C-alpha cells in the first residue's frame, strides 16, 4: 500500500521575484571606475532566466556606454531591430579617443538622430594620458589637436535639446565659440560639468552669450541652468561662462587652486596678461551651495586672496532683494580633491591656513563692527550677542574610518572656532565619494597618531631642557672664570703700573706679555659668546 502512494516531491525554496529585482537594481553603479563592471554584471543577469531578463534589460539600457564608432553603429542597428529599447535609454556615455576624425562624440548625433526620446544625460569623457597609454590608437592613426566639429554640428544638437545634464571631461574644442554654441543649442540644460576643458583659440565672446535683456529670461543664455562644475578649466573661458549665466544658478563646484590644461591657447592681442583667478559671484543671488575642492597650494598668497575675493562676492550677492537667503540655506562645502596625495594632519594644516580667510568672509560686517564698538566702550553686558554667521560650513568627503570621527571633529573645530561656536560647522568624517581613495596614512589609528605626537613633544622638550642646562652651566662658569683670571693677573702684576717703571730691562718683555694676555682674553670672550 505504501509503495502505491506517490512519493512526496521535495519543494525547493525560491526567492520572490521582487527580491531578485532589488538585487539586480543594486548591481548598477554609475561611477566612472565601476560602470564597465556594472554593465557586464547586468548583461549576465539578463541571461539567467526569463524572470530576470525584463528588469536586468531595463537597467542595462538605462546607461549606454559607447567607446568607438563600431559600438556606436552596432547600438544604432540594435535600436532599429528592437525599437522598444529606445525608451529605456536615460544616460548616454561616450568614452574613448575623442580627438580623432571618426570621433563618437561627433558621429552619435547622426547615427542616433531621433531615436533617444527619453535621453536625459550625456557624458563625453576623453581618455587622459594614463588611459591613452593603456589603450593606444591603431597603427597609422593619429590624434587631432581638438574635437573635429563641423559647421552643421550645432544644428544637429537640436535632436537632443531635451537633455538636462551634460558632462565634458578631457575635451579640447577648436574655439571657445564652438563650446558656447554647443551649450546654446541645449536650452533645457540644467547641470553642466566641465573637467579639464580647453580650446585651441579663445577668440571674441560669442554672440549667443551676450545678455540681451535682464528681465526676459527666455532670451538669455541657458535660461533653466541650475548647477555648474568648473574644475581645471581655462581661466578666461571660465570667467566668460559665469558672466553669461543668469540668476537661476543655485549650485557651483570649483577648485582652489585652479590648474587649467597646459595646452597652448591663442589669444587676441592685448590679452596675454594673466586674468584674475577670483570669481565674481554677485550676479547669482540664488546661489545657495558653493563647493570648493581644495588641494595644497603652490602659491599660497595668490590662492588665499582669490578665495577671499570669491567668498566676499558670494556673500555680497545675498544683499540683493531677489537673493535674500537665510543662513540656513547658504552653505560652503570644503572637500579634498584627492585624499591619497596628503596625510590627515597635512589636510588639517591646509584648513587651518584658510580658516582666517573663510570665517571673516562668512561673518556679518555690521555685527563685527558693532561688537567691536561695544568692547571698546565697555557695554558688552547690556546688548545680547547676535549670530554673526551668514552661511554654514560643511567639511565633507573625508572618507575615513569611524574610529577617526572624534579626531576629525575636534581638529576641524579648532580651524573654524567662530563657526563651531555658533553651531554652523558640520563635519562628515566617514563620507567619501570614492571609497578606494584613501589617505596617505590610512593605516594609522588615532592611538598611533597620538603616540607619535607625544613622542615628538617629548623630543622637543628634551632638546629644550638640554639647551637650558647648557645655558645654566655657561652662566655659572663665566663669573668664576672671570674671578680666577683677575686673581692670576693681579699676582703677575699686569695691572700694576709701577712694575713697568721699576726696571727698564723688563719693560719690553712685560709689555709683550700683557699684549699676549689681552689677545688670549679677547679670544676667550669671543668663544664664550659663540657658546651662548
Amino acid at each position: 500500500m505504501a509503495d502505491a502512494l506517490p512519493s512526496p516531491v521535495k519543494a525547493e525554496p525560491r526567492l520572490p521575484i521582487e527580491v531578485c529585482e532589488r538585487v539586480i537594481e543594486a548591481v548598477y553603479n554609475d561611477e566612472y571606475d565601476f560602470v564597465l563592471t556594472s554593465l557586464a554584471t547586468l548583461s549576465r543577469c539578463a541571461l539567467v532566466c526569463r524572470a530576470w531578463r525584463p528588469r536586468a534589460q531595463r537597467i542595462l539600457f538605462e546607461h549606454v556606454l559607447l567607446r568607438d564608432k563600431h559600438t556606436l553603429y552596432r547600438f544604432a542597428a540594435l535600436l532599429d531591430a528592437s525599437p522598444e529599447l529606445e525608451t529605456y535609454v536615460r544616460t548616454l556615455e561616450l568614452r574613448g579617443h575623442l580627438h580623432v576624425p571618426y570621433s563618437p562624440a561627433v558621429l552619435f548625433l547622426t547615427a542616433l538622430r531621433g531615436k533617444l526620446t527619453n535621453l536625459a544625460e550625456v557624458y563625453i569623457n576623453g581618455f587622459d594620458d594614463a588611459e591613452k597609454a593603456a589603450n593606444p590608437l591603431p597603427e597609422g592613426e593619429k590624434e587631432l589637436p581638438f574635437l573635429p566639429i563641423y559647421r552643421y554640428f550645432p544644428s544637429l544638437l537640436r535632436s537632443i535639446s531635451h537633455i538636462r545634464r551634460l558632462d565634458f571631461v578631457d575635451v579640447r574644442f577648436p574655439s571657445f565659440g564652438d563650446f558656447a554654441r554647443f551649450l546654446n543649442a541645449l536650452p533645457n540644460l540644467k547641470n553642466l560639468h566641465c573637467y579639464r576643458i580647453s580650446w585651441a583659440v579663445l577668440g571674441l565672446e560669442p554672440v549667443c552669450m551676450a545678455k540681451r535683456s535682464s528681465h526676459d529670461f527666455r532670451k538669455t543664455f541657458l535660461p533653466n541652468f541650475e548647477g555648474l562644475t568648473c574644475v581645471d578649466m581655462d581661466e578666461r573661458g571660465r570667467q566668460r561662462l559665469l558672466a553669461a549665466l543668469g540668476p537661476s544658478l543655485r549650485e557651483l563646484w570649483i577648485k582652489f587652486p585652479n590648474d587649467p590644461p597646459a595646452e597652448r591657447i591663442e589669444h587676441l592681442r592685448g590679452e596675454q596678461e594673466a586674468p584674475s583667478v577670483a570669481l565674481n559671484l554677485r550676479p547669482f543671488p540664488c546661489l545657495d551651495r558653493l563647493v570648493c575642492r581644495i588641494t595644497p597650494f603652490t602659491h599660497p598668497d595668490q590662492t588665499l586672496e582669490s578665495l577671499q575675493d570669491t567668498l566676499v562676492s558670494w556673500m555680497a550677492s545675498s544683499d540683493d532683494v531677489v537673493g535674500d537667503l537665510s543662513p540656513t540655506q547658504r552653505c560652503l562645502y570644503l572637500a579634498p580633491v584627492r585624499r591619497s596625495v596628503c596625510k590627515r594632519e597635512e589636510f588639517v594644516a591646509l584648513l587651518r591656513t584658510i580658516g582666517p580667510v573663510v570665517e571673516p568672509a562668512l561673518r556679518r560686517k555690521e555685527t563685527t563692527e558693532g561688537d567691536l564698538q561695544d568692547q571698546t566702550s565697555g557695554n558688552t553686558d547690556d546688548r545680547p550677542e547676535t549670530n554673526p554667521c551668514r552661511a554654514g560650513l560643511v567639511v565633507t568627503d573625508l572618507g575615513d574610518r569611524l574610529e577617526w570621527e572624534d579626531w576629525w571633529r575636534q581638529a576641524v573645530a579648532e580651524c573654524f572656532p567662530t563657526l563651531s561656536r555658533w553651531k554652523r560647522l558640520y563635519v562628515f568624517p566617514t563620507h567619501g565619494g570614492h571609497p578606494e581613495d584613501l589617505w596617505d596614512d590610512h593605516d594609522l589609528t588615532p592611538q598611533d597618531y597620538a603616540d607619535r605626537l607625544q613622542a615628538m613633544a617629548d623630543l622637543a622638550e628634551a632638546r629644550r631642557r638640554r639647551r637650558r642646562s647648557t645655558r645654566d652651566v655657561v652662566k655659572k662658569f663665566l663669573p668664576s672664570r672671570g674671578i680666577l683670571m683677575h686673581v692670576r693677573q693681579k699676582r703677575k702684576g699686569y695691572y700694576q703700573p709701577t712694575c713697568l717703571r721699576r726696571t727698564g730691562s723688563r719693560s719690553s718683555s712685560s709689555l709683550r706679555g700683557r699684549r699676549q694676555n689681552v689677545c688670549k682674553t679677547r679670544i676667550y670672550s669671543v668663544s664664550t659668546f659663540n657658546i651662548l
Side-chain angles (χ1 to χ4, degrees), residues 172-188:
R172 183 174 173 84
F173 289 88
S175 65
F176 181 80
D178 293 321
F179 171 72
R181 285 185 286 272
F182 196 119
L183 301 178
N184 189 52
L186 308 173
N188 296 315

Side-chain angles (χ1 to χ4, degrees), residues 300-324:
D301 296 337
Q302 181 181 3
T303 305
L304 291 176
E305 183 179 359
S306 62
L307 177 61
Q308 182 180 14
D309 295 342
T310 301
L311 295 178
V312 168
S313 66
W314 180 44
M315 289 292 101
S317 65
S318 64
D319 299 334
D320 301 335
V321 178
V322 180
D324 189 10

Side-chain angles (χ1 to χ4, degrees), residues 52-63:
W52 282 29
R53 181 179 179 180
R55 183 53 60 95
Q57 195 175 60
R58 179 179 293 273
I59 301 175
L60 179 63
F61 281 93
E62 282 186 2
H63 190 124

Side-chain angles (χ1 to χ4, degrees), residues 28 140 164 176 194 214 224 248 253 302 315 367 369 433 476:
Y28 176 68
R164 299 292 187 268
F176 181 80
C194 297
S214 59
N224 301 318
S248 60
W253 291 60
Q302 181 181 3
M315 289 292 101
T367 304
E369 294 175 358
K476 293 180 181 179

